[in-house]
Amino acid sequence: MNFPTEHFSAVLNHLNDGVFIANTKGVALWVNDMSTKQLGIDRTGIIGKTVEELESIGLFTPSVTKIVLKNRETTTKVQTSKGRQYLATGLLIKLENTEYVLVHVKDITETVKASFKLEKTEALMKQYWQQLQEMKFTQKKENDGKLIIGKSKQHTEMFELMNRVASFDATVLLNGETGVGKSMIAEELHKKSTRSDKPFVQINCSAIPETLMESELFGYMKGAFTGSNSKGKQGLVKKADGGTLFLDEIGELPLQLQPKLLHLLQNKSYIPIGGTEVQKADIRIVTATNQNLLEMVKQKRFREDLYYRLNVITITIPSLKDRKDDILPLLYHYLGIFKTKYTRDVSFSKEAVELLQDYDWPGNIRELENTVERLVITSLKNVITLEDLPDKILNESTTAIDQHQQENNLLQLKNQSLPQYMESIEKKLIENALNEHGTTRKAAKSLGITQSSISRRIKKYHLNNLD
């Protein structure tokens, strides 16, 4: 049975949310009944007008339609209209050869008013966005859960630089704190390069003993030394032939081995241990470090000529404390991964998410990933609350709250005279003492003053006399 076309308008007019449809020039084509109520104007004042006109006469701000047409992507904004607040989501819809902008408008005024926080809009937007991110990141899996996630300015600039240099065969040095994801960036450089169909070989220079590092890198011929494999061994340079060799923690490369790496960089050739013939190496070298190599050069712990050969292009990967906007999507990305891995249906409470977002994550993405995995496994209920968070995160947040309180106290002092501020402290101390001890005698004793003194202050500050 077909659904009559004329019934669509009637159905949309029954919605408790507004529906606003415009063309690609921003001209309003159709609105439902709820939309006219939200805007406080009938259809004749809306249809045929551009969103710029409607915005200029104060019907709403900002215009989501205008933003969607500019960016050509789905957009959600908190909109203000007639003193009320709305969550407006706009998207492009293509029907045959014609495009329209559809905006769904939900009244969130009462919900926002109920919010305890002063930043009321942000709190509500965070709640909606968290739900959206959870659905998005649980569904999207690639590279065994390895995604380079981030929309912050710092992350975007780093990612754009990576994309620009990926197709060139130049040597790249990745700089960044421990745990920021240097190996993931190195692998992404390889995937976006012309060598993507060839091997990506990784070695951590700090994980291999100095005595074995040379043979691991360059291999050795049969009978090269006592105890060696009778058939010889192929080194990682050979295994990476045609592709990319990634040397992580390059600052830990033994000083005596650095000239051989320099020779490899300059001449694309090397000699295996025990060998006599030069072997060619068609490889691109990417290195990474969390150390200050230039300072190591000054301290004679790293060769200057090698440093400049490695430092052709430097990409600095920002730490999480410098890109706070990326913490939320990362939290939900790993939550989705570990929910699936451990078949647990868990979610974050609003309070837990806020604390995790405020945390500085000194261990960066690695610490965040490990923390989320632990929370998914150890949480007793289906909602991860403050009680489930590690002491380290809770303690740091307490310190931050104390600091914030001190800042508030200083701000309060700025707005008061010193006598006024001292009186407010005295009043608070007396209130606390009375609440704790129950009588003026005990309260006075705890404060080191006489009972008559505390009685005078109770009268002065209009406090309840408990005796």
Side-chain angles (χ1 to χ4, degrees):
M1 180 178 178
N2 292 326
F3 189 69
T5 306
E6 62 271 22
H7 287 186
F8 279 103
S9 294
V11 170
L12 292 175
N13 281 327
H14 275 77
L15 291 176
N16 289 326
D17 299 337
V19 176
F20 182 102
I21 300 174
N23 63 18
T24 51
K25 293 183 179 178
V27 176
L29 302 178
W30 188 87
V31 293
N32 70 347
D33 289 347
M34 181 52 70
S35 191
T36 62
K37 292 177 183 177
Q38 291 172 343
L39 298 175
I41 189 171
D42 61 27
R43 284 183 172 82
T44 57
I46 302 172
I47 306 302
K49 303 285 179 62
T50 65
V51 288
E52 285 90 349
E53 292 175 300
L54 298 176
E55 189 176 17
S56 67
I57 62 175
L59 285 190
F60 48 70
T61 184
S63 168
V64 172
T65 301
K66 194 161 62 175
I67 297 170
V68 169
L69 289 172
K70 179 183 177 181
N71 299 332
R72 300 196 63 77
E73 62 182 20
T74 300
T75 301
T76 298
K77 292 286 182 184
V78 172
Q79 219 174 46
T80 302
S81 177
K82 304 296 181 183
R84 296 186 71 82
Q85 290 178 305
Y86 300 90
L87 191 69
T89 299
L91 64 154
L92 282 170
I93 294 177
K94 192 167 186 178
L95 301 175
E96 297 181 350
N97 295 321
T98 307
E99 277 189 331
Y100 302 94
V101 179
L102 170 66
V103 182
H104 169 250
V105 185
K106 183 180 185 67
D107 191 334
I108 58 171
T109 307
E110 299 309 318
T111 312
V112 168
K113 282 181 180 177
S115 174
F116 176 76
K117 285 187 170 291
L118 293 176
E119 55 269 23
K120 47 191 177 181
T121 305
E122 180 187 350
L124 187 69
M125 280 293 293
K126 192 181 291 182
Q127 179 185 338
Y128 278 91
W129 196 64
Q130 287 169 9
Q131 294 169 357
L132 181 65
Q133 294 302 318
E134 184 170 6
M135 289 187 293
K136 177 180 175 183
F137 290 118
T138 17
Q139 291 170 3
K140 186 177 181 183
K141 295 185 183 75
E142 55 184 69
N143 299 333
D144 297 321
K146 291 183 181 179
L147 295 171
I148 299 177
I149 296 167
K151 292 293 183 183
S152 64
K153 181 185 176 185
Q154 298 89 334
H155 179 85
T156 302
E157 288 175 352
M158 179 276 298
F159 203 73
E160 286 174 352
L161 175 60
M162 183 200 72
N163 284 332
R164 286 199 301 273
V165 306
S167 59
F168 297 95
D169 238 12
T171 304
V172 177
L173 173 63
L174 303 176
N175 259 324
E177 294 178 2
T178 299
V180 292
K182 296 186 286 292
S183 61
M184 289 174 65
I185 298 297
E187 200 165 349
E188 194 70 14
L189 277 167
H190 173 72
K191 288 176 183 175
K192 293 177 180 292
S193 74
T194 55
R195 299 173 177 269
S196 57
D197 58 336
K198 300 297 182 181
F200 174 82
V201 177
Q202 176 176 347
I203 181 172
N204 188 318
C205 299
S206 66
I208 298 173
E210 289 188 23
T211 52
L212 298 178
M213 179 62 79
E214 184 176 359
S215 63
E216 286 295 319
L217 273 177
F218 302 114
Y220 54 82
M221 308 304 290
K222 62 180 181 178
F225 50 84
T226 304
S228 63
N229 190 307
S230 59
K231 296 180 180 178
K233 180 180 178 179
Q234 187 184 67
L236 295 177
V237 172
K238 184 65 176 177
K239 288 180 180 178
D241 193 35
T244 301
L245 177 65
F246 173 47
L247 301 173
D248 199 3
E249 304 294 352
I250 189 64
E252 301 297 327
L253 187 72
L255 200 57
Q256 68 271 18
L257 196 54
Q258 291 179 20
K260 295 197 174 185
L261 179 59
L262 178 64
H263 182 82
L264 177 67
L265 282 162
Q266 289 175 330
N267 304 310
K268 298 293 183 184
S269 63
Y270 66 100
I271 301 176
I273 297 174
T276 55
E277 294 183 6
V278 173
Q279 297 193 17
K280 287 292 181 182
D282 176 21
I283 56 171
R284 180 191 194 176
I285 292 181
V286 176
T287 61
T289 185
N290 61 0
Q291 301 184 66
N292 186 334
L293 292 185
L294 195 54
E295 188 61 32
M296 291 180 68
V297 168
K298 292 176 183 177
Q299 297 170 359
K300 307 296 183 185
R301 293 165 51 212
F302 201 87
R303 289 180 62 107
E304 184 176 14
D305 47 6
L306 177 59
Y307 168 74
Y308 288 112
R309 287 296 300 182
L310 295 175
N311 197 29
V312 177
I313 296 170
T314 299
I315 298 177
T316 300
I317 305 168
S319 58
L320 272 186
K321 68 175 181 289
D322 296 326
R323 52 184 188 112
K324 289 279 191 180
D325 291 347
D326 296 333
I327 292 175
L328 188 63
L330 283 165
L331 285 170
Y332 278 102
H333 166 63
Y334 288 113
L335 179 66
I337 288 175
F338 296 122
K339 278 171 62 174
T340 303
K341 180 177 179 179
Y342 299 112
T343 55
R344 289 213 61 193
D345 184 19
V346 292
S347 60
F348 292 119
S349 71
K350 181 182 174 184
E351 294 76 16
V353 163
E354 288 176 352
L355 219 61
L356 291 169
Q357 276 190 287
D358 289 338
Y359 181 55
D360 273 347
W361 298 107
N364 292 292
I365 296 173
R366 187 178 301 139
E367 182 187 3
L368 185 147
E369 179 183 359
N370 293 341
T371 300
V372 174
E373 183 173 16
R374 172 187 166 182
L375 291 172
V376 169
I377 294 170
T378 61
S379 61
L380 298 176
K381 299 178 182 177
N382 288 340
V383 177
I384 296 168
T385 65
L386 293 178
E387 295 176 356
D388 299 308
L389 301 186
D391 290 341
K392 181 181 178 184
I393 294 176
L394 291 171
N395 293 339
E396 184 169 311
S397 69
T398 303
T399 304
I401 290 169
D402 290 342
Q403 185 178 349
H404 182 63
Q405 185 61 49
Q406 290 173 14
E407 290 170 355
N408 284 343
N409 290 341
L410 289 172
L411 180 62
Q412 201 175 12
L413 180 57
K414 276 187 177 180
N415 299 327
Q416 296 179 347
S417 67
L418 183 58
Q420 287 174 325
Y421 185 65
M422 295 302 292
E423 283 183 350
S424 69
I425 294 175
E426 183 180 58
K427 179 183 176 183
K428 189 65 180 173
L429 287 171
I430 292 171
E431 279 181 325
N432 291 343
L434 289 170
N435 289 332
E436 183 179 351
H437 298 287
T439 68
T440 53
R441 184 178 59 81
K442 291 180 180 178
K445 186 177 180 182
S446 72
L447 292 171
I449 59 178
T450 64
Q451 189 173 10
S452 59
S453 293
I454 200 170
S455 296
R456 285 196 301 272
R457 285 164 173 78
I458 287 171
K459 189 177 290 186
K460 176 183 177 181
Y461 298 127
H462 306 290
L463 301 174
N464 291 327
N465 191 335
L466 300 180
D467 288 346

